Amino acid sequence: MLHVSLRDLSPELILASTNVVDDVEHCMKADTSVHLTEQRVGHRRFVAGTLDDVLTGRIDIPADQPVVFSPFGLGALDLVLAKYVYDSVAAAGGLHTVPGFFHDVSRYG
């Protein structure tokens, strides 16, 4: 489950799942579902690891229970929305360049 709404999963559901986050510290604030779970149980051991842990094989995702991915600091929704806007403007023929917008492009390779 891609958990993007911050607070709609109960601590019981979080505890019954394998939990993966983008950044543990970032997710454990602002009363997110995982933060509320941490407050209830007094620890973070219910977090299996981070997206980096999954991608690098440091943790295995079990097939016998739900998996919840909480990407609160990842900006995934921002990227999806930006791609949608870009594609919509491109399809309508409305893309334009802004000369000089990036004043020093050589600095970034």
PDB file of all heavy atoms in Angstrom, residues 16-47:
ATOM      1  N   ALA A  16       0.308  -4.366  12.169  1.00  0.00           N
ATOM      2  CA  ALA A  16       0.054  -5.647  11.507  1.00  0.00           C
ATOM      3  C   ALA A  16       0.711  -5.720  10.132  1.00  0.00           C
ATOM      4  O   ALA A  16       0.539  -6.709   9.426  1.00  0.00           O
ATOM      5  CB  ALA A  16      -1.452  -5.857  11.369  1.00  0.00           C
ATOM      6  N   SER A  17       1.479  -4.699   9.761  1.00  0.00           N
ATOM      7  CA  SER A  17       2.072  -4.608   8.425  1.00  0.00           C
ATOM      8  C   SER A  17       3.586  -4.545   8.494  1.00  0.00           C
ATOM      9  O   SER A  17       4.165  -4.235   9.531  1.00  0.00           O
ATOM     10  CB  SER A  17       1.564  -3.342   7.720  1.00  0.00           C
ATOM     11  OG  SER A  17       0.160  -3.338   7.631  1.00  0.00           O
ATOM     12  N   THR A  18       4.204  -4.822   7.352  1.00  0.00           N
ATOM     13  CA  THR A  18       5.618  -4.532   7.177  1.00  0.00           C
ATOM     14  C   THR A  18       5.683  -3.077   6.720  1.00  0.00           C
ATOM     15  O   THR A  18       5.070  -2.705   5.719  1.00  0.00           O
ATOM     16  CB  THR A  18       6.241  -5.443   6.111  1.00  0.00           C
ATOM     17  OG1 THR A  18       6.161  -6.792   6.572  1.00  0.00           O
ATOM     18  CG2 THR A  18       7.693  -5.070   5.841  1.00  0.00           C
ATOM     19  N   ASN A  19       6.401  -2.255   7.460  1.00  0.00           N
ATOM     20  CA  ASN A  19       6.428  -0.822   7.183  1.00  0.00           C
ATOM     21  C   ASN A  19       7.770  -0.387   6.624  1.00  0.00           C
ATOM     22  O   ASN A  19       8.817  -0.677   7.200  1.00  0.00           O
ATOM     23  CB  ASN A  19       6.125  -0.039   8.464  1.00  0.00           C
ATOM     24  CG  ASN A  19       4.710  -0.258   8.914  1.00  0.00           C
ATOM     25  OD1 ASN A  19       3.795   0.343   8.385  1.00  0.00           O
ATOM     26  ND2 ASN A  19       4.524  -1.161   9.866  1.00  0.00           N
ATOM     27  N   VAL A  20       7.701   0.307   5.498  1.00  0.00           N
ATOM     28  CA  VAL A  20       8.876   0.864   4.834  1.00  0.00           C
ATOM     29  C   VAL A  20       8.630   2.361   4.696  1.00  0.00           C
ATOM     30  O   VAL A  20       7.524   2.784   4.346  1.00  0.00           O
ATOM     31  CB  VAL A  20       9.093   0.219   3.449  1.00  0.00           C
ATOM     32  CG1 VAL A  20      10.272   0.844   2.736  1.00  0.00           C
ATOM     33  CG2 VAL A  20       9.278  -1.287   3.579  1.00  0.00           C
ATOM     34  N   VAL A  21       9.637   3.154   4.985  1.00  0.00           N
ATOM     35  CA  VAL A  21       9.521   4.608   4.906  1.00  0.00           C
ATOM     36  C   VAL A  21      10.653   5.155   4.034  1.00  0.00           C
ATOM     37  O   VAL A  21      11.619   4.453   3.759  1.00  0.00           O
ATOM     38  CB  VAL A  21       9.561   5.251   6.307  1.00  0.00           C
ATOM     39  CG1 VAL A  21       8.416   4.754   7.183  1.00  0.00           C
ATOM     40  CG2 VAL A  21      10.890   5.003   7.007  1.00  0.00           C
ATOM     41  N   ASP A  22      10.518   6.402   3.606  1.00  0.00           N
ATOM     42  CA  ASP A  22      11.622   6.993   2.860  1.00  0.00           C
ATOM     43  C   ASP A  22      12.703   7.498   3.809  1.00  0.00           C
ATOM     44  O   ASP A  22      13.877   7.366   3.552  1.00  0.00           O
ATOM     45  CB  ASP A  22      11.130   8.100   1.929  1.00  0.00           C
ATOM     46  CG  ASP A  22      10.506   9.270   2.658  1.00  0.00           C
ATOM     47  OD1 ASP A  22       9.921   9.057   3.737  1.00  0.00           O
ATOM     48  OD2 ASP A  22      10.590  10.401   2.156  1.00  0.00           O
ATOM     49  N   ASP A  23      12.288   8.057   4.930  1.00  0.00           N
ATOM     50  CA  ASP A  23      13.216   8.597   5.914  1.00  0.00           C
ATOM     51  C   ASP A  23      12.560   8.461   7.284  1.00  0.00           C
ATOM     52  O   ASP A  23      11.510   9.066   7.518  1.00  0.00           O
ATOM     53  CB  ASP A  23      13.515  10.059   5.592  1.00  0.00           C
ATOM     54  CG  ASP A  23      14.459  10.702   6.577  1.00  0.00           C
ATOM     55  OD1 ASP A  23      14.015  11.010   7.705  1.00  0.00           O
ATOM     56  OD2 ASP A  23      15.630  10.912   6.238  1.00  0.00           O
ATOM     57  N   VAL A  24      13.151   7.694   8.171  1.00  0.00           N
ATOM     58  CA  VAL A  24      12.526   7.404   9.463  1.00  0.00           C
ATOM     59  C   VAL A  24      12.270   8.683  10.248  1.00  0.00           C
ATOM     60  O   VAL A  24      11.163   8.907  10.741  1.00  0.00           O
ATOM     61  CB  VAL A  24      13.387   6.416  10.280  1.00  0.00           C
ATOM     62  CG1 VAL A  24      12.794   6.199  11.671  1.00  0.00           C
ATOM     63  CG2 VAL A  24      13.524   5.089   9.551  1.00  0.00           C
ATOM     64  N   GLU A  25      13.264   9.535  10.382  1.00  0.00           N
ATOM     65  CA  GLU A  25      13.087  10.757  11.176  1.00  0.00           C
ATOM     66  C   GLU A  25      12.005  11.658  10.596  1.00  0.00           C
ATOM     67  O   GLU A  25      11.221  12.249  11.335  1.00  0.00           O
ATOM     68  CB  GLU A  25      14.407  11.529  11.291  1.00  0.00           C
ATOM     69  CG  GLU A  25      15.459  10.821  12.113  1.00  0.00           C
ATOM     70  CD  GLU A  25      14.995  10.520  13.548  1.00  0.00           C
ATOM     71  OE1 GLU A  25      14.323  11.378  14.174  1.00  0.00           O
ATOM     72  OE2 GLU A  25      15.302   9.420  14.034  1.00  0.00           O
ATOM     73  N   HIS A  26      11.970  11.754   9.291  1.00  0.00           N
ATOM     74  CA  HIS A  26      10.968  12.611   8.651  1.00  0.00           C
ATOM     75  C   HIS A  26       9.556  12.089   8.888  1.00  0.00           C
ATOM     76  O   HIS A  26       8.621  12.854   9.084  1.00  0.00           O
ATOM     77  CB  HIS A  26      11.244  12.737   7.153  1.00  0.00           C
ATOM     78  CG  HIS A  26      10.383  13.732   6.474  1.00  0.00           C
ATOM     79  ND1 HIS A  26      10.690  15.057   6.441  1.00  0.00           N
ATOM     80  CD2 HIS A  26       9.195  13.596   5.842  1.00  0.00           C
ATOM     81  CE1 HIS A  26       9.740  15.719   5.797  1.00  0.00           C
ATOM     82  NE2 HIS A  26       8.814  14.838   5.426  1.00  0.00           N
ATOM     83  N   CYS A  27       9.394  10.781   8.873  1.00  0.00           N
ATOM     84  CA  CYS A  27       8.064  10.179   9.039  1.00  0.00           C
ATOM     85  C   CYS A  27       7.580  10.200  10.475  1.00  0.00           C
ATOM     86  O   CYS A  27       6.380  10.125  10.728  1.00  0.00           O
ATOM     87  CB  CYS A  27       8.081   8.740   8.532  1.00  0.00           C
ATOM     88  SG  CYS A  27       8.170   8.627   6.742  1.00  0.00           S
ATOM     89  N   MET A  28       8.500  10.288  11.421  1.00  0.00           N
ATOM     90  CA  MET A  28       8.132  10.219  12.835  1.00  0.00           C
ATOM     91  C   MET A  28       7.895  11.596  13.430  1.00  0.00           C
ATOM     92  O   MET A  28       8.440  11.963  14.477  1.00  0.00           O
ATOM     93  CB  MET A  28       9.216   9.489  13.628  1.00  0.00           C
ATOM     94  CG  MET A  28       9.418   8.063  13.220  1.00  0.00           C
ATOM     95  SD  MET A  28       7.952   7.081  13.574  1.00  0.00           S
ATOM     96  CE  MET A  28       8.486   5.500  12.948  1.00  0.00           C
ATOM     97  N   LYS A  29       7.063  12.381  12.740  1.00  0.00           N
ATOM     98  CA  LYS A  29       6.663  13.684  13.276  1.00  0.00           C
ATOM     99  C   LYS A  29       5.336  14.074  12.637  1.00  0.00           C
ATOM    100  O   LYS A  29       4.830  13.375  11.767  1.00  0.00           O
ATOM    101  CB  LYS A  29       7.739  14.742  13.023  1.00  0.00           C
ATOM    102  CG  LYS A  29       8.124  14.939  11.583  1.00  0.00           C
ATOM    103  CD  LYS A  29       9.264  15.925  11.490  1.00  0.00           C
ATOM    104  CE  LYS A  29       9.768  15.992  10.061  1.00  0.00           C
ATOM    105  NZ  LYS A  29      10.906  16.861   9.923  1.00  0.00           N
ATOM    106  N   ALA A  30       4.769  15.129  13.092  1.00  0.00           N
ATOM    107  CA  ALA A  30       3.534  15.703  12.543  1.00  0.00           C
ATOM    108  C   ALA A  30       2.332  14.767  12.682  1.00  0.00           C
ATOM    109  O   ALA A  30       1.390  14.836  11.907  1.00  0.00           O
ATOM    110  CB  ALA A  30       3.729  16.114  11.087  1.00  0.00           C
ATOM    111  N   ASP A  31       2.372  13.893  13.670  1.00  0.00           N
ATOM    112  CA  ASP A  31       1.252  12.981  13.924  1.00  0.00           C
ATOM    113  C   ASP A  31       0.846  12.152  12.706  1.00  0.00           C
ATOM    114  O   ASP A  31      -0.333  11.913  12.458  1.00  0.00           O
ATOM    115  CB  ASP A  31       0.041  13.738  14.483  1.00  0.00           C
ATOM    116  CG  ASP A  31       0.298  14.277  15.885  1.00  0.00           C
ATOM    117  OD1 ASP A  31       1.122  13.676  16.605  1.00  0.00           O
ATOM    118  OD2 ASP A  31      -0.319  15.286  16.258  1.00  0.00           O
ATOM    119  N   THR A  32       1.830  11.702  11.938  1.00  0.00           N
ATOM    120  CA  THR A  32       1.542  10.763  10.856  1.00  0.00           C
ATOM    121  C   THR A  32       1.107   9.440  11.478  1.00  0.00           C
ATOM    122  O   THR A  32       1.262   9.224  12.687  1.00  0.00           O
ATOM    123  CB  THR A  32       2.790  10.526   9.986  1.00  0.00           C
ATOM    124  OG1 THR A  32       3.810   9.927  10.798  1.00  0.00           O
ATOM    125  CG2 THR A  32       3.304  11.814   9.361  1.00  0.00           C
ATOM    126  N   SER A  33       0.583   8.564  10.677  1.00  0.00           N
ATOM    127  CA  SER A  33       0.160   7.254  11.193  1.00  0.00           C
ATOM    128  C   SER A  33       1.306   6.521  11.879  1.00  0.00           C
ATOM    129  O   SER A  33       1.120   5.929  12.954  1.00  0.00           O
ATOM    130  CB  SER A  33      -0.405   6.392  10.059  1.00  0.00           C
ATOM    131  OG  SER A  33      -1.597   6.942   9.566  1.00  0.00           O
ATOM    132  N   VAL A  34       2.492   6.551  11.270  1.00  0.00           N
ATOM    133  CA  VAL A  34       3.634   5.864  11.898  1.00  0.00           C
ATOM    134  C   VAL A  34       4.097   6.591  13.152  1.00  0.00           C
ATOM    135  O   VAL A  34       4.526   5.962  14.126  1.00  0.00           O
ATOM    136  CB  VAL A  34       4.800   5.623  10.907  1.00  0.00           C
ATOM    137  CG1 VAL A  34       4.432   4.584   9.871  1.00  0.00           C
ATOM    138  CG2 VAL A  34       5.255   6.903  10.244  1.00  0.00           C
ATOM    139  N   HIS A  35       3.991   7.903  13.183  1.00  0.00           N
ATOM    140  CA  HIS A  35       4.346   8.674  14.376  1.00  0.00           C
ATOM    141  C   HIS A  35       3.379   8.374  15.519  1.00  0.00           C
ATOM    142  O   HIS A  35       3.792   8.164  16.666  1.00  0.00           O
ATOM    143  CB  HIS A  35       4.345  10.169  14.039  1.00  0.00           C
ATOM    144  CG  HIS A  35       4.776  11.042  15.166  1.00  0.00           C
ATOM    145  ND1 HIS A  35       4.175  12.245  15.414  1.00  0.00           N
ATOM    146  CD2 HIS A  35       5.728  10.901  16.117  1.00  0.00           C
ATOM    147  CE1 HIS A  35       4.742  12.816  16.468  1.00  0.00           C
ATOM    148  NE2 HIS A  35       5.685  12.014  16.908  1.00  0.00           N
ATOM    149  N   LEU A  36       2.077   8.328  15.212  1.00  0.00           N
ATOM    150  CA  LEU A  36       1.088   7.997  16.239  1.00  0.00           C
ATOM    151  C   LEU A  36       1.303   6.580  16.765  1.00  0.00           C
ATOM    152  O   LEU A  36       1.134   6.319  17.961  1.00  0.00           O
ATOM    153  CB  LEU A  36      -0.325   8.160  15.677  1.00  0.00           C
ATOM    154  CG  LEU A  36      -0.724   9.597  15.337  1.00  0.00           C
ATOM    155  CD1 LEU A  36      -2.065   9.619  14.611  1.00  0.00           C
ATOM    156  CD2 LEU A  36      -0.745  10.478  16.575  1.00  0.00           C
ATOM    157  N   THR A  37       1.706   5.686  15.881  1.00  0.00           N
ATOM    158  CA  THR A  37       2.008   4.312  16.307  1.00  0.00           C
ATOM    159  C   THR A  37       3.218   4.306  17.232  1.00  0.00           C
ATOM    160  O   THR A  37       3.203   3.642  18.280  1.00  0.00           O
ATOM    161  CB  THR A  37       2.242   3.407  15.084  1.00  0.00           C
ATOM    162  OG1 THR A  37       1.075   3.461  14.249  1.00  0.00           O
ATOM    163  CG2 THR A  37       2.521   1.970  15.499  1.00  0.00           C
ATOM    164  N   GLU A  38       4.252   5.061  16.870  1.00  0.00           N
ATOM    165  CA  GLU A  38       5.430   5.163  17.737  1.00  0.00           C
ATOM    166  C   GLU A  38       5.038   5.699  19.112  1.00  0.00           C
ATOM    167  O   GLU A  38       5.495   5.185  20.147  1.00  0.00           O
ATOM    168  CB  GLU A  38       6.472   6.088  17.100  1.00  0.00           C
ATOM    169  CG  GLU A  38       7.672   6.341  17.997  1.00  0.00           C
ATOM    170  CD  GLU A  38       8.554   7.475  17.535  1.00  0.00           C
ATOM    171  OE1 GLU A  38       8.041   8.460  16.967  1.00  0.00           O
ATOM    172  OE2 GLU A  38       9.769   7.376  17.768  1.00  0.00           O
ATOM    173  N   GLN A  39       4.205   6.711  19.140  1.00  0.00           N
ATOM    174  CA  GLN A  39       3.778   7.279  20.420  1.00  0.00           C
ATOM    175  C   GLN A  39       3.005   6.254  21.250  1.00  0.00           C
ATOM    176  O   GLN A  39       3.158   6.190  22.468  1.00  0.00           O
ATOM    177  CB  GLN A  39       2.920   8.522  20.185  1.00  0.00           C
ATOM    178  CG  GLN A  39       3.709   9.687  19.638  1.00  0.00           C
ATOM    179  CD  GLN A  39       2.821  10.855  19.248  1.00  0.00           C
ATOM    180  OE1 GLN A  39       1.622  10.719  19.038  1.00  0.00           O
ATOM    181  NE2 GLN A  39       3.433  12.023  19.145  1.00  0.00           N
ATOM    182  N   ARG A  40       2.188   5.445  20.587  1.00  0.00           N
ATOM    183  CA  ARG A  40       1.383   4.456  21.310  1.00  0.00           C
ATOM    184  C   ARG A  40       2.239   3.341  21.893  1.00  0.00           C
ATOM    185  O   ARG A  40       2.047   2.937  23.042  1.00  0.00           O
ATOM    186  CB  ARG A  40       0.325   3.858  20.403  1.00  0.00           C
ATOM    187  CG  ARG A  40      -0.507   2.817  21.160  1.00  0.00           C
ATOM    188  CD  ARG A  40      -1.632   2.255  20.384  1.00  0.00           C
ATOM    189  NE  ARG A  40      -2.661   3.261  20.177  1.00  0.00           N
ATOM    190  CZ  ARG A  40      -3.790   3.019  19.523  1.00  0.00           C
ATOM    191  NH1 ARG A  40      -4.009   1.821  19.013  1.00  0.00           N
ATOM    192  NH2 ARG A  40      -4.677   3.966  19.369  1.00  0.00           N
ATOM    193  N   VAL A  41       3.201   2.818  21.087  1.00  0.00           N
ATOM    194  CA  VAL A  41       3.959   1.646  21.546  1.00  0.00           C
ATOM    195  C   VAL A  41       5.303   1.996  22.174  1.00  0.00           C
ATOM    196  O   VAL A  41       5.932   1.146  22.795  1.00  0.00           O
ATOM    197  CB  VAL A  41       4.153   0.611  20.409  1.00  0.00           C
ATOM    198  CG1 VAL A  41       2.806   0.110  19.909  1.00  0.00           C
ATOM    199  CG2 VAL A  41       4.976   1.183  19.264  1.00  0.00           C
ATOM    200  N   GLY A  42       5.773   3.224  21.983  1.00  0.00           N
ATOM    201  CA  GLY A  42       7.010   3.657  22.631  1.00  0.00           C
ATOM    202  C   GLY A  42       8.291   3.207  21.957  1.00  0.00           C
ATOM    203  O   GLY A  42       9.351   3.239  22.570  1.00  0.00           O
ATOM    204  N   HIS A  43       8.206   2.777  20.709  1.00  0.00           N
ATOM    205  CA  HIS A  43       9.413   2.375  19.969  1.00  0.00           C
ATOM    206  C   HIS A  43       9.140   2.480  18.465  1.00  0.00           C
ATOM    207  O   HIS A  43       8.012   2.761  18.058  1.00  0.00           O
ATOM    208  CB  HIS A  43       9.853   0.953  20.345  1.00  0.00           C
ATOM    209  CG  HIS A  43       8.849  -0.100  20.023  1.00  0.00           C
ATOM    210  ND1 HIS A  43       8.636  -0.574  18.738  1.00  0.00           N
ATOM    211  CD2 HIS A  43       7.970  -0.761  20.812  1.00  0.00           C
ATOM    212  CE1 HIS A  43       7.684  -1.479  18.756  1.00  0.00           C
ATOM    213  NE2 HIS A  43       7.261  -1.613  20.009  1.00  0.00           N
ATOM    214  N   ARG A  44      10.196   2.233  17.690  1.00  0.00           N
ATOM    215  CA  ARG A  44      10.104   2.276  16.223  1.00  0.00           C
ATOM    216  C   ARG A  44      10.390   0.926  15.579  1.00  0.00           C
ATOM    217  O   ARG A  44      10.576   0.843  14.373  1.00  0.00           O
ATOM    218  CB  ARG A  44      11.099   3.303  15.664  1.00  0.00           C
ATOM    219  CG  ARG A  44      10.846   4.711  16.132  1.00  0.00           C
ATOM    220  CD  ARG A  44      11.887   5.659  15.609  1.00  0.00           C
ATOM    221  NE  ARG A  44      11.541   7.027  15.978  1.00  0.00           N
ATOM    222  CZ  ARG A  44      12.238   8.090  15.628  1.00  0.00           C
ATOM    223  NH1 ARG A  44      13.329   7.941  14.880  1.00  0.00           N
ATOM    224  NH2 ARG A  44      11.853   9.285  16.003  1.00  0.00           N
ATOM    225  N   ARG A  45      10.415  -0.104  16.342  1.00  0.00           N
ATOM    226  CA  ARG A  45      10.781  -1.426  15.813  1.00  0.00           C
ATOM    227  C   ARG A  45       9.796  -1.953  14.767  1.00  0.00           C
ATOM    228  O   ARG A  45      10.117  -2.881  14.041  1.00  0.00           O
ATOM    229  CB  ARG A  45      10.944  -2.429  16.950  1.00  0.00           C
ATOM    230  CG  ARG A  45      12.143  -2.123  17.848  1.00  0.00           C
ATOM    231  CD  ARG A  45      12.383  -3.214  18.871  1.00  0.00           C
ATOM    232  NE  ARG A  45      11.258  -3.431  19.770  1.00  0.00           N
ATOM    233  CZ  ARG A  45      11.092  -2.793  20.946  1.00  0.00           C
ATOM    234  NH1 ARG A  45      11.970  -1.901  21.344  1.00  0.00           N
ATOM    235  NH2 ARG A  45      10.041  -3.071  21.695  1.00  0.00           N
ATOM    236  N   PHE A  46       8.625  -1.355  14.674  1.00  0.00           N
ATOM    237  CA  PHE A  46       7.641  -1.780  13.670  1.00  0.00           C
ATOM    238  C   PHE A  46       8.005  -1.296  12.269  1.00  0.00           C
ATOM    239  O   PHE A  46       7.384  -1.705  11.295  1.00  0.00           O
ATOM    240  CB  PHE A  46       6.231  -1.290  14.050  1.00  0.00           C
ATOM    241  CG  PHE A  46       6.142   0.200  14.212  1.00  0.00           C
ATOM    242  CD1 PHE A  46       5.848   1.007  13.124  1.00  0.00           C
ATOM    243  CD2 PHE A  46       6.359   0.793  15.443  1.00  0.00           C
ATOM    244  CE1 PHE A  46       5.780   2.378  13.258  1.00  0.00           C
ATOM    245  CE2 PHE A  46       6.288   2.168  15.595  1.00  0.00           C
ATOM    246  CZ  PHE A  46       5.996   2.966  14.496  1.00  0.00           C
ATOM    247  N   VAL A  47       9.007  -0.427  12.151  1.00  0.00           N
ATOM    248  CA  VAL A  47       9.496   0.013  10.840  1.00  0.00           C
ATOM    249  C   VAL A  47      10.574  -0.968  10.396  1.00  0.00           C
ATOM    250  O   VAL A  47      11.612  -1.090  11.038  1.00  0.00           O
ATOM    251  CB  VAL A  47      10.046   1.454  10.884  1.00  0.00           C
ATOM    252  CG1 VAL A  47      10.646   1.848   9.545  1.00  0.00           C
ATOM    253  CG2 VAL A  47       8.947   2.433  11.295  1.00  0.00           C
TER     254      VAL A  47
END
